Amino acid sequence: MFTIKSLSPIALAITAALTHSSLAANTTPIETDEMEVIVVTSDFRQSALDKMPSSISVIDQQQIEDEGAQHFEDLLNSIANFNWSGGSSRAKYFQIRGVGEQEEYQGAPNSSVGYIIDDIDMSGLGMVASMYDLQQVEVLRGPQGTRYGANALAGLIYLKSNDPTAMFEHGAEVSLGDDQLRTFSGFSSGPLTDSGTLLYRVSVQQHQQNGYRDNLYTGHDDSNSRDELNTRLKLRWYASDSLTVDFNLMHANFDNGYDAWTLDNNGFDTLTDAPGVDKQRTTGSSLKITYSGYDTFELVSLTSMAQTDTHHGYDGDWGNPDYWHARVCDAAPCEYDYTWDKVGDRQTVSQEFRLSSTDAGKLFNGSTDWLLGVYGMKLDEDNHTTEVYNGWPEALVADYNATNMALFGQLDSDLGDDYALSVGLRVERRESDYQDSAGDGFDPSETMWGGHLALSKALSDDHQTYIRIARGYKAGGFNMSLPAELSDKKEYQAETLYNYELGLKSTWLEGDVSTNVSVFYMDRRDQQVAASQQNPAEPQKFILYTENASNSYNYGAEFEGRWYTSDNLTLYATLGWLETAYGDYQYQNKYGELVDLSDRELAHSPNFTHSLGATYRSDNGWFANLTSSGKSEFYYSDSNESKSEPYTIFNARIGYETEVWSAYLWGRNLFDEQYGVRGFYFGNEPDLGWADKQYIRYGDPRQLGLTLKVKLM
């Protein structure tokens, strides 16, 4: 269902033009050239997508540009069985096949979904995700225990920006739109030396908009604003015929507001007197050295480091003194003023060495490629959290550090008769230490292991099937600041996940149609559950902790398809089906009652996700793209029965393209669908006796704009 709100005449005209033009595509099929091979760059050997025995989604640069995606958030709904939790100004917490975090207000970083940008690990810090000058987005579903270890229990998101080019090319782009949207972007690439042995690429994007909220109390229309800077520098040095050095440097500065919640659930007119913030400043780099001077193996050294400062704060009463004084609490004007603020500092340094076989170094009569590697990572994070309730502050200063060491290996064998076998194993040791100003201290350590076993079979030149078993793991941890009645929940165990998957990757109609289909079953053991209960003594506060449930089970399927119907028109679609259920799990609510969640669906796990797109390019330069995407209802939380509503949103983009310049008129969420991306069910209104109530944060409303691009080569 969707609703069309009242539109201004110009907005109605633009919406109608976008919708009509996108549907007016020529569908006459003619012969097309052979499709470009898509390479998965997050894999050890950078294999072709159709040869990978795993469920992987790749969104390439052409689709990113055709849809006009500015941030990873703009592409989320086009990925099957993928969801996100909107508790921040930008998408930060992700769920793949129903597995992943919904927030991280306290505790040690411990992600279920890996997030990497140009070999820089940003897991748990997913905000800084500009799509400008990006080569492709890769989403690997299921445990990635061999390649990425503990941070990829559910899967991995890998962002790969464009590499330096041997020829000069430069570009600039500007976008203007409603909500005071202003985006300025540019890139430059080419050789730095006459010999062409040293290449560079640099890109910059500055994005600003007001954030769709009007604060009726302060009179501001930008209390939820976005002010986002992304810069990248890449260097490639061909030091010799056998030595290549790649250096990446990124800097992102997101200075965003966070004023997204309303007491009456209107969604867009707020009343806070202390609007929140959601800031992240990250500087990261990676250095990859590839040496191929040996006959039997290649050596790769991969070094990365990142420094991230975060600041997340919000007005927890979602109101102001005048609002609360006008309401009655115990026969007197209400007094309710609560703010929460967290400042964090994270530093990570990692080093990986790996040896991989060349053709001359294959084992077993030249049938088997091999790879061996060692990995080390050090993470340090400091957090300073401040809560102020009716003028009384409470502060917590916490320091956490962890060291990970891992050994891994992989064998890829050609078994003959078009069969191939891939076997991988990773053993990882984590040592950690936590101390805070409240007197809590923990130093857990553990050894974990994961890996995969995949058998694939080429049925023909056009069809390849596979079966895959993978084991992933997620480290255990601890809970701080718990009351005495929850002292038995101070620590929780590691979680393991077994993923069983069957897939078929096909091309049809002489390569004009490609499809990827997979079915899976996930067995989660000692599932880590983020539990919470409202503090009866201090209703503005929550007691947050993680505990282990028994086994839980997720199963479902994914479909992705693309059809080049002609040289002018391309159609593409995704569909995800997901069933999830807790095993035996009960938790205690704020009244001390046990709530049984056994057999209930997991939070942020919609049964269906879907997307459909069409891109048309005429021979004389006209362009149109139309997409729809959405999902079925899902639970917002593991600690209540609050649910979202199903939704579908429509985007469109039309324009005119030449080799040098292009102009586009575009609209996102054309029919102004109001859809929830995060929900809570608790008491936050003292005049109602702190009665439980559903509160919803909505996604972005309709936005219309214009983009101009220039590219010189």
Side-chain angles (χ1 to χ4, degrees), residues 529-551:
V529 181
S532 67
Q533 59 178 263
Q534 197 166 4
N535 191 333
E538 299 177 279
Q540 82 284 356
K541 293 185 179 181
F542 281 81
I543 301 168
L544 306 174
Y545 58 95
T546 300
E547 61 179 336
N548 294 104
S550 63
N551 294 4

Side-chain angles (χ1 to χ4, degrees), residues 337-368:
D337 184 18
Y338 176 68
T339 58
W340 186 93
D341 193 83
K342 178 181 176 182
V343 176
D345 173 16
R346 181 187 297 186
Q347 298 176 348
T348 58
V349 179
S350 69
Q351 175 64 54
E352 179 176 291
F353 294 105
R354 59 178 187 258
L355 302 175
S356 58
S357 61
T358 63
D359 287 341
K362 290 184 177 182
L363 303 176
F364 310 124
N365 295 322
S367 67
T368 302

Side-chain angles (χ1 to χ4, degrees), residues 195-407:
S195 63
T197 58
L198 182 60
L199 312 176
Y200 81 95
R201 191 178 191 98
V202 61
S203 66
V204 180
Q205 182 177 75
Q206 176 69 59
H207 173 80
Q208 294 177 311
Q209 63 182 104
N210 283 357
Y212 306 110
R213 267 53 174 195
D214 292 321
N215 190 307
L216 304 184
Y217 183 73
T218 65
H220 293 93
D221 64 358
D222 61 352
S223 57
N224 195 55
S225 64
R226 295 168 178 166
D227 185 355
E228 302 170 345
L229 172 68
N230 279 274
T231 62
R232 298 188 187 101
L233 169 66
K234 304 187 79 170
L235 298 175
R236 173 166 291 175
W237 179 31
Y238 296 102
S240 68
D241 291 340
S242 57
L243 179 62
T244 303
V245 179
D246 287 289
F247 174 74
N248 300 318
L249 176 66
M250 65 167 287
H251 176 74
N253 187 7
F254 279 37
D255 188 6
N256 294 351
Y258 186 59
D259 190 20
W261 297 89
T262 58
L263 291 163
D264 62 359
N265 280 321
N266 76 77
F268 299 98
D269 293 326
T270 66
L271 295 172
T272 56
D273 63 315
V277 297
D278 195 21
K279 301 181 180 182
Q280 180 174 327
R281 180 194 294 266
T282 295
T283 301
S285 64
S286 66
L287 179 67
K288 183 177 182 181
I289 301 173
T290 304
Y291 182 71
S292 56
Y294 299 104
D295 290 336
T296 57
F297 64 89
E298 179 181 84
L299 170 64
V300 173
S301 169
L302 183 57
T303 308
S304 73
M305 56 188 67
Q307 165 69 49
T308 297
D309 299 316
T310 59
H311 183 187
H312 185 70
Y314 56 85
D315 188 332
D317 61 273
W318 301 344
N320 57 76
D322 295 339
Y323 176 90
W324 292 116
H325 288 172
R327 278 148 180 79
V328 178
C329 296
D330 297 326
C334 292
E335 182 183 5
Y336 183 26
D337 184 18
Y338 176 68
T339 58
W340 186 93
D341 193 83
K342 178 181 176 182
V343 176
D345 173 16
R346 181 187 297 186
Q347 298 176 348
T348 58
V349 179
S350 69
Q351 175 64 54
E352 179 176 291
F353 294 105
R354 59 178 187 258
L355 302 175
S356 58
S357 61
T358 63
D359 287 341
K362 290 184 177 182
L363 303 176
F364 310 124
N365 295 322
S367 67
T368 302
D369 281 307
W370 57 268
L371 180 141
L372 291 172
V374 59
Y375 170 85
M377 188 269 288
K378 181 172 174 54
L379 181 149
D380 295 291
E381 180 168 303
D382 300 325
N383 289 300
H384 188 169
T385 305
T386 304
E387 298 177 83
V388 181
Y389 177 57
N390 290 342
W392 292 93
E394 293 185 21
L396 181 70
V397 179
D399 177 69
Y400 173 78
N401 58 77
T403 301
N404 289 43
M405 296 294 296
L407 296 172

Side-chain angles (χ1 to χ4, degrees), residues 308-600:
T308 297
D309 299 316
T310 59
H311 183 187
H312 185 70
Y314 56 85
D315 188 332
D317 61 273
W318 301 344
N320 57 76
D322 295 339
Y323 176 90
W324 292 116
H325 288 172
R327 278 148 180 79
V328 178
C329 296
D330 297 326
C334 292
E335 182 183 5
Y336 183 26
D337 184 18
Y338 176 68
T339 58
W340 186 93
D341 193 83
K342 178 181 176 182
V343 176
D345 173 16
R346 181 187 297 186
Q347 298 176 348
T348 58
V349 179
S350 69
Q351 175 64 54
E352 179 176 291
F353 294 105
R354 59 178 187 258
L355 302 175
S356 58
S357 61
T358 63
D359 287 341
K362 290 184 177 182
L363 303 176
F364 310 124
N365 295 322
S367 67
T368 302
D369 281 307
W370 57 268
L371 180 141
L372 291 172
V374 59
Y375 170 85
M377 188 269 288
K378 181 172 174 54
L379 181 149
D380 295 291
E381 180 168 303
D382 300 325
N383 289 300
H384 188 169
T385 305
T386 304
E387 298 177 83
V388 181
Y389 177 57
N390 290 342
W392 292 93
E394 293 185 21
L396 181 70
V397 179
D399 177 69
Y400 173 78
N401 58 77
T403 301
N404 289 43
M405 296 294 296
L407 296 172
F408 56 88
Q410 183 169 307
L411 296 175
D412 297 293
S413 300
D414 182 354
L415 302 181
D417 198 23
D418 295 321
Y419 282 96
L421 178 68
S422 178
V423 181
L425 178 67
R426 185 185 188 100
V427 179
E428 186 164 348
R429 176 70 177 176
R430 171 176 288 189
E431 306 274 354
S432 62
D433 181 77
Y434 173 88
Q435 303 290 330
D436 67 30
S437 58
D440 274 329
F442 305 91
D443 57 353
S445 61
E446 56 193 318
T447 301
M448 304 162 286
W449 69 273
H452 73 274
L453 175 67
L455 178 67
S456 58
K457 163 71 171 175
L459 304 177
S460 69
D461 291 341
D462 297 326
H463 305 282
Q464 175 169 303
T465 187
Y466 68 88
I467 184 169
R468 181 184 183 91
I469 302 172
R471 185 186 197 271
Y473 53 89
K474 182 181 180 183
F478 45 85
N479 298 300
M480 65 291 298
S481 305
L482 292 183
E485 57 268 25
L486 293 176
S487 59
D488 61 327
K489 300 186 183 298
K490 284 283 188 179
E491 298 190 39
Y492 53 90
Q493 298 176 353
E495 175 182 347
T496 57
L497 188 155
Y498 290 88
N499 184 80
Y500 307 90
E501 185 173 302
L502 176 67
L504 176 65
K505 300 187 177 185
S506 303
T507 58
W508 314 80
L509 301 179
E510 298 182 348
D512 289 340
V513 177
S514 63
T515 58
N516 295 333
V517 181
S518 60
V519 295
F520 64 90
Y521 179 86
M522 304 173 76
D523 177 7
R524 299 178 68 181
R525 302 184 180 181
D526 295 317
Q527 178 190 350
Q528 294 177 10
V529 181
S532 67
Q533 59 178 263
Q534 197 166 4
N535 191 333
E538 299 177 279
Q540 82 284 356
K541 293 185 179 181
F542 281 81
I543 301 168
L544 306 174
Y545 58 95
T546 300
E547 61 179 336
N548 294 104
S550 63
N551 294 4
S552 66
Y553 308 96
N554 301 5
Y555 62 89
E558 289 111 14
F559 167 82
E560 296 182 345
R562 185 172 294 267
W563 180 18
Y564 297 93
T565 67
S566 70
D567 284 341
N568 303 109
L569 178 65
T570 302
L571 305 177
Y572 51 98
T574 68
L575 178 63
W577 165 54
L578 177 65
E579 299 289 339
T580 65
Y582 279 106
D584 182 15
Y585 176 59
Q586 297 177 330
Y587 76 95
Q588 184 174 313
N589 65 16
K590 66 180 180 181
Y591 305 108
E593 303 166 339
L594 283 178
V595 179
D596 191 356
L597 288 185
S598 303
D599 297 324
R600 203 207 79 169

Side-chain angles (χ1 to χ4, degrees), residues 595-637:
V595 179
D596 191 356
L597 288 185
S598 303
D599 297 324
R600 203 207 79 169
E601 291 181 346
L602 305 181
H604 279 263
S605 303
N607 294 129
F608 294 99
T609 54
H610 57 85
S611 70
L612 182 64
T615 299
Y616 173 75
R617 279 185 167 85
S618 72
D619 295 333
N620 57 5
W622 291 102
F623 162 88
N625 175 268
L626 175 66
T627 62
S628 69
S629 61
K631 57 196 63 172
S632 60
E633 66 182 14
F634 56 87
Y635 287 100
Y636 283 124
S637 174

Side-chain angles (χ1 to χ4, degrees), residues 586-705:
Q586 297 177 330
Y587 76 95
Q588 184 174 313
N589 65 16
K590 66 180 180 181
Y591 305 108
E593 303 166 339
L594 283 178
V595 179
D596 191 356
L597 288 185
S598 303
D599 297 324
R600 203 207 79 169
E601 291 181 346
L602 305 181
H604 279 263
S605 303
N607 294 129
F608 294 99
T609 54
H610 57 85
S611 70
L612 182 64
T615 299
Y616 173 75
R617 279 185 167 85
S618 72
D619 295 333
N620 57 5
W622 291 102
F623 162 88
N625 175 268
L626 175 66
T627 62
S628 69
S629 61
K631 57 196 63 172
S632 60
E633 66 182 14
F634 56 87
Y635 287 100
Y636 283 124
S637 174
D638 293 314
S639 58
N640 58 67
E641 299 298 302
S642 177
K643 276 189 172 184
S644 72
E645 296 290 336
Y647 68 85
T648 300
I649 58 176
F650 294 84
N651 304 325
R653 182 176 169 94
I654 62 172
Y656 186 78
E657 301 174 333
T658 73
E659 292 184 359
V660 176
W661 65 269
S662 305
Y664 305 94
L665 187 68
W666 51 265
R668 305 191 66 83
N669 192 4
L670 282 177
F671 301 109
D672 213 9
E673 172 81 347
Q674 191 174 70
Y675 60 100
V677 296
R678 187 73 178 118
F680 294 114
Y681 189 81
F682 70 107
N684 198 37
E685 299 178 57
D687 56 318
L688 302 181
W690 303 101
D692 290 341
K693 175 181 171 181
Q694 183 176 23
Y695 300 101
I696 300 173
R697 187 217 153 177
Y698 296 103
D700 292 350
R702 180 183 54 248
Q703 186 173 45
L704 306 175

